[in-house]
Amino acid sequence: MNYKGYIFRLFLRLILLVSLLLAIAYFIYKENTTVIVLLSCATLYFGYTTYAFIKRRFVVMDDFFEAVKYRDFSRWFPEDLGPKDIRFLYQGFNEVNRTIKEMNSKNEAQYVYLQKILEMVDIGIIAYNLETGDVLWSNDSFRETLSMPSFKNIRFIESRKPNLYESIFETYHREPNSIAIAVENEKIKVLISDTVFQVKDDAFKLIVLQNIDDTLNKNESEAWKKLLSVMTHEIMNSIAPISSLAETLQTHIQLALDIPEAHPIELEDLNSGIKTIKNRSEGLLKFAKTYRSLSKVTHLNLEKKKVSELFETIQLLMQPSLDVKNIAIDFKLKTPKLELDIDSYLIEQVLINLILNAVDACKNQEHPEIKVIAELTPNRAVVIKVYDNGSGIPQDIMESIFIPFFTSKSTGSGIGLSLCKQIMLLHKGKILVNSKEGEGTVFSLVF
């Protein structure tokens, strides 16, 4: 703004007015009436022009602020009309309007962009005023999930479906929670979470809702297909040789019954065949028991357990058998007094499985060694690591080792690591693996 020139002109006007007033006072003293009248007229004239000079600037500013008050940034002030200082003001106001219009345009573009993204996602989203119930924003997915038309206030749902209103809007779900809701005479499963946020003096609630029925059905169907495929393969592998051998034995026995002289029964062969059938049948039963052991772990008996006590128990169980195989094992607690809320029986089973796997991996090494180390990470997670210096896991099967019934061992059931993973998931933890062929493997249990 050219405020310096404006102040200078205003200062000159004030000096002139003061000078005129002093002159009037002087000529009143001299009793010169004619001069007094002329000076008084001049003073009134310059007083009025000074007032107008000041007023026009404030009128222009008041006009601009009035436009700002009503968010009217479309007005254009003429930059080539009026005195220089006013034209300079107009230029400044136009520049402010241009900047605000650009900001509004960008904000509107971002809002439309965000709105389009939220409309495209298949997750229902709604935000509403907690006190009035007025809907701030909601997308089509939310209304489609609840099978509702567009509404401006959540009381619309309360008056039509009070139970649905209670489940969605009245109940708080600070963490994602799976609930069943009734929609059009059928129950669907949804994943819901919400949060409350403050905008100035108003509190709003944001609800995120996802229909997981289709996803669950699809995943369940895929899981059943995989399970049936695995079970069919394993069962057929056991039944096919049993059926073939039984048919052969039946043929021999039938021939011995029909023509005993030509086809005498070889008791040794018969005994061997029956024994084979028995072994394969037992293998099939073992497979069924193994599957049952995988599916039966569904809940935990949690207790506070010191990691040092857990290590002592495992060492007591495993040390004798490892000594026989000349495999060294070392338990180490990097962080003293570590404690865990765990089902100790199940976690013991996990550690035993991992140690047995480590034994198999390093039994052919010159100096086989296993280390079990517990520590507290910087983000306050407890980690138990089982190291071995064995042959390592080939990279091409690394992603498959936790799949049920997958095994690279000739005598393995493929259930151990799957069971370990399920137990860790029940503890809201995870199991990680890092391995290099020829160098060894480390399994990490993260709590």
Side-chain angles (χ1 to χ4, degrees):
M1 295 276 178
N2 192 15
Y3 67 92
K4 291 183 179 179
Y6 172 78
I7 291 173
F8 179 71
R9 287 192 293 274
L10 179 61
F11 179 75
L12 287 179
R13 287 173 178 274
L14 292 175
I15 292 294
L16 182 59
L17 280 172
V18 171
S19 300
L20 286 170
L21 290 172
L22 290 173
I24 291 172
Y26 174 76
F27 284 106
I28 288 175
Y29 174 74
K30 292 292 185 179
E31 298 181 350
N32 191 332
T33 306
T34 304
V35 176
I36 291 171
V37 171
L38 291 173
L39 288 174
S40 297
C41 291
T43 302
L44 289 173
Y45 173 77
F46 278 107
Y48 173 77
T49 55
T50 301
Y51 166 76
F53 177 76
I54 296 172
K55 179 183 175 183
R56 71 187 178 194
R57 194 174 187 93
F58 281 97
V59 167
V60 170
M61 293 174 66
D62 185 63
D63 192 23
F64 174 73
F65 291 140
E66 190 73 12
V68 171
K69 179 181 177 181
Y70 293 102
R71 305 285 197 276
D72 180 14
F73 302 108
S74 60
R75 183 169 178 182
W76 185 260
F77 296 90
E79 298 179 2
D80 54 353
L81 297 177
K84 185 177 180 182
D85 62 305
I86 298 299
R87 282 184 278 129
F88 205 83
L89 266 180
Y90 285 160
Q91 291 175 8
F93 293 159
N94 288 337
E95 185 63 30
V96 171
N97 281 345
R98 267 195 303 269
T99 303
I100 292 176
K101 282 168 70 176
E102 287 177 6
M103 290 171 62
N104 287 342
S105 178
K106 289 179 180 178
N107 289 339
E108 286 174 8
Q110 290 176 352
Y111 175 77
V112 171
Y113 179 68
L114 178 62
Q115 192 174 35
K116 290 298 180 184
I117 291 176
L118 294 177
E119 287 291 352
M120 290 174 65
V121 299
D122 59 355
I123 298 175
I125 303 171
I126 187 172
Y128 66 93
N129 189 301
L130 270 176
E131 184 177 350
T132 65
D134 292 334
V135 175
L136 179 66
W137 191 86
S138 69
N139 63 356
D140 292 338
S141 295
F142 186 87
R143 297 186 289 273
E144 288 171 2
T145 301
L146 300 185
S147 191
M148 282 291 206
S150 180
F151 56 92
K152 294 183 178 180
N153 193 291
I154 62 170
R155 312 295 179 216
F156 175 85
I157 297 179
E158 183 181 21
S159 61
R160 285 161 176 76
K161 298 182 179 180
N163 291 334
L164 183 64
Y165 175 84
E166 175 71 23
S167 300
I168 300 297
F169 297 100
E170 286 296 298
T171 306
Y172 282 85
H173 306 274
R174 297 303 184 199
E175 294 183 358
N177 187 24
S178 175
I179 63 172
I181 59 174
V183 177
E184 293 186 344
N185 299 322
E186 67 172 332
K187 286 207 168 185
I188 63 170
K189 219 165 214 183
V190 296
L191 189 66
I192 184 171
S193 63
D194 56 49
T195 185
V196 175
F197 61 94
Q198 198 83 12
V199 178
K200 294 184 180 178
D201 297 329
D202 295 323
F204 292 88
K205 188 176 183 181
L206 177 69
I207 298 176
V208 178
L209 193 71
Q210 183 179 12
N211 185 342
I212 57 174
D213 243 8
D214 294 339
T215 304
L216 288 175
N217 290 336
K218 183 179 179 182
N219 290 344
E220 186 178 354
S221 176
E222 290 296 323
W224 273 110
K225 286 178 184 177
K226 290 180 181 178
L227 178 60
L228 289 173
S229 174
V230 170
M231 292 188 72
T232 302
H233 179 265
E234 292 294 325
I235 291 171
M236 288 302 296
N237 283 348
S238 292
I239 289 178
I242 290 175
S243 176
S244 176
L245 184 55
E247 185 180 355
T248 301
L249 291 176
Q250 184 187 23
T251 302
H252 288 167
I253 292 172
Q254 189 64 46
L255 286 173
L257 290 173
D258 293 340
I259 316 171
E261 298 83 5
H263 299 280
I265 294 178
E266 296 287 343
L267 293 178
E268 189 177 341
D269 292 343
L270 184 61
N271 180 61
S272 177
I274 293 172
K275 186 176 179 181
T276 301
I277 291 174
K278 177 177 175 291
N279 290 338
R280 294 305 300 160
S281 300
E282 287 176 349
L284 191 56
L285 285 172
K286 185 179 179 182
F287 169 76
K289 288 178 181 178
T290 300
Y291 170 72
R292 186 172 61 183
S293 72
L294 180 63
S295 61
K296 73 180 180 181
V297 181
T298 56
H299 68 279
L300 302 174
N301 297 314
L302 294 176
E303 61 175 335
K304 193 169 284 294
K305 185 82 171 180
K306 291 182 179 178
V307 178
S308 58
E309 293 178 0
L310 182 67
F311 280 5
E312 286 173 8
T313 303
I314 300 298
Q315 188 168 17
L316 190 64
L317 286 170
M318 303 300 298
Q319 192 75 57
S321 61
L322 294 177
D323 287 343
V324 171
K325 297 177 181 178
N326 293 319
I327 297 177
I329 185 166
D330 181 35
F331 290 85
K332 186 176 182 180
L333 201 62
K334 284 190 175 180
T335 307
K337 298 181 181 180
L338 277 182
E339 288 187 335
L340 289 170
D341 287 321
I342 56 173
D343 185 321
S344 56
Y345 169 77
L346 293 179
I347 297 301
E348 284 172 10
Q349 186 62 45
V350 170
L351 287 171
I352 289 169
N353 281 342
L354 294 180
I355 291 171
L356 289 176
N357 283 348
V359 169
D360 285 338
C362 67
K363 62 185 178 182
N364 295 323
Q365 297 298 108
E366 187 175 351
H367 300 289
E369 184 181 15
I370 299 171
K371 293 181 182 179
V372 184
I373 299 174
E375 62 184 344
L376 189 67
T377 65
N379 62 354
R380 310 300 296 173
V382 178
V383 181
I384 299 177
K385 297 182 179 181
V386 179
Y387 294 84
D388 69 66
N389 62 345
S391 55
I393 302 171
Q395 290 298 315
D396 57 340
I397 67 168
M398 185 73 79
E399 294 181 0
S400 304
I401 60 174
F402 294 108
I403 296 175
F405 309 114
F406 175 85
T407 180
S408 59
K409 305 174 187 175
S410 58
T411 59
S413 65
I415 207 70
L417 289 177
S418 302
L419 193 59
C420 292
K421 184 174 182 178
Q422 184 177 351
I423 290 171
M424 288 304 297
L425 289 175
L426 284 172
H427 282 81
K428 296 183 179 179
K430 54 187 175 181
I431 180 169
L432 307 174
V433 59
N434 187 18
S435 182
K436 288 186 178 180
E437 288 190 73
E439 295 184 16
T441 303
V442 54
F443 281 91
S444 301
L445 306 179
V446 184
F447 297 90

